[in-house]
Amino acid sequence: MLLNIIIGLIIGVGLILPGVSGGIIAVILNVYDSIVYSLHNLLKQPKKSLKLLIPIGIGILLGTFLIGKLLNYLLYEKEYIETYFVFIGLILGSVPTLLNKTKEKGKINYILILTTFLVSLLFCIFGRDIININNGDNSFMSLFLTGFLFILGKIVPGISSSFMLMLIGTYEYFLSVITNPIEILTSRILELIPLMLGIFIGLIVFIKLMNYLLKYHYGNTYSAIIGFVLGTIIAIYPGISIDIHGLISIILFVVSFFISYIFSKYKKQ
């Protein structure tokens, strides 16, 4: 149970970090398939599903609400470069295990890996110029879309909900919601209705979609995921300087790479 809480905590951090998908974090920790299966079969097998989902859910809440404030401080006030290099190491360290896992359960589609990598790269480069629908207010549709896009990035690996919310201009708003829940509940509770409605509908749609893809198109699905995983690195790479910060970044990258690699192999077993 403690291990699943820690896993959920790391996933929760991924909910906050711009450019990183919560689904990607679940993939690199080798729990994505289990989470999708448990959510899809929650009503059919509640005891088995909740045994996994409850500790991971607790960890996600801790990662989102408690570490979210620390991460916000690191990203926007202090050592954001080092923070990103930790996640780049975690992502790259999981790739060998993902490739082996795909080979065991299906066939690797290298064309699909290249395609989703390029899509991720192009979206990172041109996305902000293509999408900008936020008009500055918190209308019902804007809040609904915020919830819908948020859960999209939590369920579908390779799509960062934080990045999507930044594209439509509601990332700062959503960050204020999850880091100041008491204020929302006491003075702006009506805003939660369209937000939660978007999350609920998106959850149903994307869980069913991913469960179907993993069941009937495992090799192609994970090939696409691997491409998005590699594309995520491009999206969050902050550059590196030749100074003490650059040296610390490299050290943190190497350490997090080996931690991710070892942990991925352990979870696979």
Side-chain angles (χ1 to χ4, degrees):
M1 182 174 181
L2 179 60
L3 179 59
N4 285 334
I5 291 177
I6 295 174
I7 289 173
L9 189 146
I10 299 173
I11 294 174
V13 173
L15 304 184
I16 307 296
L17 189 66
V20 176
S21 160
I24 287 292
I25 300 299
V27 168
I28 68 176
L29 295 177
N30 204 24
V31 295
Y32 180 73
D33 297 19
S34 299
I35 291 175
V36 170
Y37 179 85
S38 296
L39 287 171
H40 187 263
N41 294 279
L42 182 59
L43 298 180
K44 297 179 181 178
Q45 301 174 328
K47 186 175 180 179
K48 180 180 179 180
S49 298
L50 291 174
K51 186 178 180 180
L52 174 72
L53 294 176
I54 288 177
I56 288 181
I58 292 172
I60 289 175
L61 290 175
L62 291 174
T64 302
F65 293 110
L66 298 183
I67 299 182
K69 289 183 177 292
L70 173 62
L71 188 60
N72 188 48
Y73 173 75
L74 291 174
L75 286 174
Y76 298 109
E77 298 183 40
K78 290 293 181 181
E79 317 302 342
Y80 76 94
I81 293 178
E82 289 89 332
T83 304
Y84 274 118
F85 269 93
V86 169
F87 277 87
I88 291 173
L90 290 174
I91 292 169
L92 277 179
S94 70
V95 171
T97 303
L98 291 180
L99 289 170
N100 290 331
K101 180 178 180 180
T102 306
K103 287 180 181 178
E104 290 176 1
K105 295 187 177 182
K107 183 178 179 181
I108 297 179
N109 188 330
Y110 291 100
I111 294 178
L112 194 53
I113 290 177
L114 178 61
T115 300
T116 53
F117 171 77
L118 292 176
V119 167
S120 180
L121 179 61
L122 291 173
F123 189 74
C124 174
I125 296 174
F126 300 109
R128 292 179 183 276
D129 297 325
I130 297 173
I131 304 175
N132 187 11
I133 64 174
N134 185 47
N135 56 11
D137 64 6
N138 292 326
S139 63
F140 183 95
M141 183 55 64
S142 177
L143 293 174
F144 176 86
L145 187 59
T146 297
F148 192 82
L149 292 179
F150 167 77
I151 202 64
L152 168 66
K154 304 313 119 192
I155 302 300
V156 182
I159 299 180
S160 167
S161 55
S162 299
F163 187 59
M164 295 293 289
L165 297 184
M166 291 174 73
L167 290 178
I168 66 171
T170 59
Y171 175 71
E172 291 185 7
Y173 165 79
F174 190 78
L175 190 62
S176 71
V177 170
I178 61 178
T179 55
N180 300 283
I182 297 178
E183 177 189 349
I184 299 298
L185 290 173
T186 55
S187 61
R188 297 155 57 191
I189 192 169
L190 291 179
E191 294 180 10
L192 291 179
I193 296 176
L195 190 66
M196 295 306 298
L197 186 61
I199 291 175
F200 179 73
I201 293 177
L203 181 65
I204 295 175
V205 171
F206 296 124
I207 282 295
K208 287 185 175 295
L209 172 64
M210 292 310 301
N211 185 73
Y212 171 82
L213 291 175
L214 289 173
K215 186 175 181 180
Y216 296 105
H217 305 282
Y218 194 94
N220 285 335
T221 299
Y222 256 87
S223 294
I225 288 173
I226 292 170
F228 279 125
V229 167
L230 296 174
T232 297
I233 298 170
I234 306 299
I236 67 175
Y237 177 68
I240 190 168
S241 55
I242 306 176
D243 55 16
I244 186 63
H245 293 289
L247 178 61
I248 294 174
S249 296
I250 293 173
I251 294 173
L252 290 174
F253 164 76
V254 173
V255 172
S256 59
F257 176 91
F258 281 106
I259 289 175
S260 176
Y261 179 74
I262 294 170
F263 187 81
S264 296
K265 293 194 70 173
Y266 168 76
K267 283 296 293 177
K268 183 175 180 291
Q269 295 171 357

